[in-house]
Amino acid sequence: MKKILIWCAICFLVINTGCSITTRDTLTTRDALTPGNVHLRLGNPSGANASNPNNYLMIKSQYALSYNRDKGIPNWVSWQLNKSWLGSTDRTNDFRPDPKLPNGWYRVTGREYRDSGYDRGHMVPSADRTNNQENNSATFLMTNIIPQFPDNNREYWREFEEYTRKLVRKGNELYIIAGGYGGNKKIAKGKISIPARLYKIIAVTKPGSKGNDIQQVIAIDTPNLKGEGNWQDFITTVDAIEKKTGYDFLSNVNKSVQKVIEGKKYSVKGNSNRSRKAKRSGKCHPAYPNICIPAPPPYLNCKDIPYKKFKVLPPDPHNFDGNKDGVACEK
Ligand code: MN
Ligand code: MN
C-alpha cells in the first residue's frame, strides 16, 4: 500500500511538471492571456499571469505591469504613448497603495520611501498621462514606482523621458517597457527591493499601425546609483537586456524581425551627446548662450544638431544664423 502511495505521488509530480512545461511552452503565445490590450500589444515580456505572486499581471486602462509581491515593486511596466495621452493636467502627486493588489498582500504606501535616499521613481512618467486627472493619478499608484537614485531619476532618465515625448510630438506612437533588475539592497524594513539597474525599451511606430510597423527601437540600461551621464551613454540592445532579465521583449513581433531590431543599437542623430559632454567640461561656445555647442572644428550644420530656433550672438562661428536675425535654425 505504501509503495502504491509513493508511486502515485511520483505519478502526480510527473503529470504536474508535464503540465507546467506545457504552460511555459504555450507562453510563446502569451497574448492569448491578454487579448487586445493596447499596452501589451508587443507582448507580455515575462509571461505575467494571475497566479504567480512575483510575476503578477495587472492591467489598467493607463498601463499594464508585472508586479513582484516579495520585492514590493513592478518587474516591468508597459504602456502605449501617443498624442491622445498628452494634455495639460497638472501632476496629481497622490502617491498611494494600489487597491487592486490581492487581499492580504502587503501594499506599499506613498510614505515608505521617505528618508531612504531614493526617489519614488515613476515607470510610466506622470508627464506621459496628462490628458485627464484620472489617468495622471493612476501613475502615482505605488505599483508603478521603483526606488530610483536621484541622479538617475532627475537627470538622464528624465531626459530620456522627455526625448520619448518629443518623438510623440513629432507624430510617432510609442510602445514603452521599463523596469529594474539585479541588486540585493532593500528599504522599508526589507519590504521594498532596490534594483541595481533600470532599463527602458521603446518601440517607435506610426499611429494607427497597431505596433505592426516598428521604425526604430531604443533601449537603455542605466545604473541605479550616484553618477552623471547622458541617456545616450547607456544605449544598449534589447538582446542585452533580455539576457540580463531573462525576459522576451517584443515577443509578439515576428521572430525574424525581432532578431534584427533586438540586436541593433540605436544611433543618436546629431551630436547632442558630444555637445552635452562639452557642456560639462565647459567647452560651450558663448555665441550660443542658451544651448551648448562647442567651437569648430568640426563645422556643423543645423541638421547636425538637435536644436531649433535658438539665440545666436556674433561671431556665430558655425554660421547657423544665415539670415542674421539672431535666431538660428528656424526650419
Ligand atoms: Mn522620474
Ligand atoms: Mn524579444
Side-chain angles (χ1 to χ4, degrees), residues 242-299:
E242 289 188 339
K243 228 176 179 169
K244 296 273 178 57
T245 57
Y247 298 155
D248 181 4
F249 298 103
L250 316 178
S251 58
N252 278 357
V253 176
N254 177 300
K255 281 264 176 299
S256 56
V257 176
Q258 269 186 71
K259 211 171 167 184
V260 176
I261 61 180
E262 293 185 350
K264 214 161 112 187
K265 265 194 195 177
Y266 179 68
S267 64
V268 187
K269 289 193 194 94
N271 70 336
S272 54
N273 203 6
R274 191 164 32 144
S275 60
R276 290 220 34 221
K277 274 189 176 142
K279 188 174 196 166
R280 276 188 284 140
S281 58
K283 284 184 189 143
C284 310
H285 196 283
Y288 314 107
N290 299 333
I291 56 174
C292 183
I293 294 178
Y299 284 92

Side-chain angles (χ1 to χ4, degrees), residues 188-260:
K189 295 181 183 139
K191 290 193 291 267
I192 303 168
S193 293
I194 306 166
R197 311 270 314 173
L198 299 173
Y199 62 87
K200 179 176 277 184
I201 295 167
I202 76 164
V204 184
T205 74
K206 287 294 165 207
S209 69
K210 302 200 165 181
N212 286 322
D213 67 333
I214 299 179
Q215 320 264 315
Q216 192 98 60
V217 171
I218 313 175
I220 63 166
D221 185 357
T222 68
N224 192 16
L225 37 84
K226 195 175 170 58
E228 282 195 353
N230 302 309
W231 67 263
Q232 294 93 336
D233 301 338
F234 303 110
I235 292 173
T236 181
T237 63
V238 174
D239 278 342
I241 302 175
E242 289 188 339
K243 228 176 179 169
K244 296 273 178 57
T245 57
Y247 298 155
D248 181 4
F249 298 103
L250 316 178
S251 58
N252 278 357
V253 176
N254 177 300
K255 281 264 176 299
S256 56
V257 176
Q258 269 186 71
K259 211 171 167 184
V260 176

Side-chain angles (χ1 to χ4, degrees), residues 62-73:
Q62 298 84 5
Y63 53 93
L65 67 113
S66 159
Y67 191 68
N68 193 309
R69 185 191 59 186
D70 294 349
K71 291 184 173 175
I73 53 171

Side-chain angles (χ1 to χ4, degrees), residues 91 119-123 125-126 148 153-154 157-158 161:
R91 278 172 78 94
D119 285 348
R120 293 173 292 194
H122 281 78
M123 293 296 101
S126 160
Q148 188 170 15
N153 181 32
R154 300 173 196 180
W157 189 268
R158 179 184 56 78
E161 289 174 343

Side-chain angles (χ1 to χ4, degrees), residues 177-192:
I177 306 154
Y181 69 87
N184 48 26
K185 280 198 283 180
K186 293 184 174 204
I187 57 172
K189 295 181 183 139
K191 290 193 291 267
I192 303 168

